[in-house]
Amino acid sequence: MQSIADFVLYVLVITLTITVFRMKNKMYMTYKKKELAGADVGAPLAEVFPRTEFTTIDGEKISLIDADTNKFTVLLVTSPGCESCKSLYPHINPFVQKHGDKYRVVSVMFGDVENIEPLRKTYNLTNPIVSVTLEGLREIKTDRFPFGYLLSPEGKVISRGLVGNGEDLELLRTWSPLTSQKKRFQRFSFIRKFADETKVAN
């Protein structure tokens, strides 16, 4: 009888362990980022982007102020030598196909055209690409890769942060750091007020 009881207990322990493991795995798989990393650096929020006129590697003049189509601009700052950037490139075309009616993507790449061209061919990038030097990066106040900005049709910075995949691109499109900061301040003010009231009560 004891051996049967031990066996039943063993089965229960194994079953419980498997259940807990599956629950943790499910929680991990359904976890979604709520904010972009690196959102505290870069060109100032709610201000016009430091530079609004560029010339692409194809010689085309583009403006980040889009009064004609009234589209938002997703500006992606990358570099051919950036390993982390390679996980972003495959998501650019699908993003444009999905949101092209309201958004356009402009790539600003730190590097020479000779290094950019093979990368464009490898990932079949069809969006406008701009080549910039170190001075150009300083001008747009960006020194991290891959970094993204969402600009309004008027060229103002709406959101910013590190973007390494499709999920990050969607978050850049939908997340507002200013709203997030406001909510954090409101939560902090509530906690501070509650603590002060508790202190008075005691």
Side-chain angles (χ1 to χ4, degrees), residues 19-33:
T19 302
V20 170
F21 177 78
R22 286 179 175 175
M23 288 178 64
K24 288 179 67 177
N25 190 52
K26 186 176 180 180
M27 289 174 63
Y28 175 78
M29 294 299 291
T30 55
Y31 168 76
K32 287 187 177 294
K33 291 167 64 175

Side-chain angles (χ1 to χ4, degrees), residues 18-196:
I18 294 174
T19 302
V20 170
F21 177 78
R22 286 179 175 175
M23 288 178 64
K24 288 179 67 177
N25 190 52
K26 186 176 180 180
M27 289 174 63
Y28 175 78
M29 294 299 291
T30 55
Y31 168 76
K32 287 187 177 294
K33 291 167 64 175
K34 294 183 179 180
E35 298 181 1
L36 289 172
D40 56 337
V41 298
L45 294 168
E47 294 184 16
V48 174
F49 198 68
R51 181 176 172 181
T52 58
E53 301 288 336
F54 289 95
T55 300
T56 71
I57 60 176
D58 296 317
E60 177 190 359
K61 300 283 186 181
I62 59 171
S63 173
L64 300 185
I65 298 176
D66 191 2
D68 295 330
T69 62
N70 207 38
K71 288 184 179 182
F72 293 84
T73 299
V74 174
L75 190 77
L76 302 176
V77 186
T78 64
S79 171
C82 164
E83 286 298 318
S84 300
C85 300
K86 293 179 180 179
S87 62
L88 172 65
Y89 298 133
H91 298 281
I92 294 178
N93 287 342
F95 180 90
V96 173
Q97 292 169 5
K98 184 177 180 180
H99 302 294
D101 57 329
K102 294 182 180 178
Y103 298 85
R104 61 174 177 166
V105 175
V106 175
S107 292
V108 174
M109 296 192 183
F110 171 57
D112 298 327
V113 176
E114 307 87 73
N115 296 321
I116 294 174
E117 278 293 0
L119 189 137
R120 174 162 70 167
K121 291 179 181 178
T122 299
Y123 296 98
N124 193 31
L125 300 177
T126 57
N127 61 292
I129 299 176
V130 175
S131 170
V132 295
T133 61
L134 184 59
E135 183 180 349
L137 287 179
R138 289 172 180 160
E139 184 180 3
I140 63 175
K141 304 182 186 303
T142 309
D143 59 2
R144 302 183 185 187
F145 310 123
F147 201 86
Y149 291 95
L150 175 64
L151 309 179
S152 70
E154 296 76 31
K156 292 186 178 182
V157 180
I158 299 174
S159 64
R160 64 191 178 189
L162 292 166
V163 285
N165 51 45
E167 180 186 348
D168 290 343
L169 272 177
E170 288 295 332
L171 195 52
L172 180 71
R173 184 181 69 85
T174 58
W175 175 56
S176 171
L178 289 177
T179 303
S180 180
Q181 290 171 6
K182 183 178 179 181
K183 288 180 178 178
R184 283 201 200 98
F185 178 76
Q186 290 173 341
R187 286 198 298 267
F188 174 78
S189 299
F190 173 78
I191 294 171
R192 184 68 180 270
K193 181 180 179 182
F194 178 78
D196 290 343

